[in-house]
Amino acid sequence: MIINTFSYLWKASALEAITELIDNGYSTFEVPISSPHCWPVEISSADRAAVRRTLAEAGAGIRSLNAGGYDLNLASPARSMRDKSIEHITSVIDLAAEWNVGEIIISPGTRRPMISPSLDQVNGWLHDSLEILVPRAQRAGTRLLFEQTPYCFTPTIETLAEVVRTVDDDALKIVYDVANAAYIGEDPVLALREYSDLIPLIHISDTGTDVWGHDPIGTGVIDWAALGAAVDATLGVENVVLEVIRDENTLEEFATALRDLNAAGWSIENNRAEEVVR
């Protein structure tokens, strides 16, 4: 299972987080792109090399970099803002190539909630951005993954799938976040099974429907037994990112999450799974 370093966002750099996780038996990671944790223009050549060396010496790797979407908007009406977003994501693509990362997570963008532009307009601006970014990702040997979030203009799997199918390029797929889905009332089990051809990676954590969370397994509304069966039938547990976010007792939270997943019938075979189920 892939471990997300989101819980370390404000207390450690990506290198420090990865080092601690490796020391505790984990080997595959997703790293959020967020300053000061990991921000391409702020990472020196020496620190970039240190990440490569740390991963290589441990036989570990970064599966995905999450460029996020709070400070970006690929679907902005303003050309200059789309250009700035493209410039930043290009810097993430370059970092991914340097660290041998295969996938980069991005947001489709946001739409002004009052006096909104039409969806045709927003989709047009987004596709203008993708015409630049998708070829850049291909040339770098990476793939872009759209994530559905409650605040983006494509919050459901159906709306996001429509964008991806319109582009129709293997360099653009979806990372499906089950907590984001459940929070807005979407059934993540049904969605994963129906759209599995578009989903090479999923984020897992729990949430309620009154407060949006990325909470410990079993504390929200997710049916973990049913989701585990859907994962086994589709992309497999090796393509699952644990995204429980807790900045206190982080290692204990991760171990508990893996134990709870195994108790719910999941087949976790790598990193800390064997230890935590004893």
Side-chain angles (χ1 to χ4, degrees), residues 102-174:
E103 288 159 334
I104 297 166
I105 296 165
I106 61 174
S107 170
T110 58
R111 183 170 69 143
R112 185 182 293 277
M114 295 179 69
I115 317 180
S116 304
S118 71
L119 284 174
D120 284 345
Q121 287 176 300
V122 178
N123 275 302
W125 295 321
L126 173 61
H127 284 278
D128 285 348
S129 298
L130 293 176
E131 286 179 1
I132 299 171
L133 278 177
V134 171
R136 287 183 184 178
Q138 287 174 321
R139 288 195 295 272
T142 61
R143 175 165 58 180
L144 301 175
L145 303 180
F146 270 144
E147 179 172 10
Q148 94 293 359
T149 54
Y151 58 84
C152 74
F153 81 95
T154 56
T156 67
I157 185 66
E158 182 180 6
T159 53
L160 194 54
E162 184 176 349
V163 173
V164 172
R165 284 176 171 155
T166 298
V167 176
D168 191 24
D169 193 307
D170 284 341
L172 182 68
K173 297 293 182 183
I174 293 171

Side-chain angles (χ1 to χ4, degrees), residues 72-94:
L72 311 173
N73 191 1
L74 293 174
S76 171
R79 174 81 259 178
S80 62
M81 294 310 298
R82 299 199 301 275
D83 287 345
K84 198 66 181 175
S85 300
I86 290 167
E87 177 187 341
H88 173 71
I89 293 173
T90 298
S91 75
V92 181
I93 291 172
D94 293 341

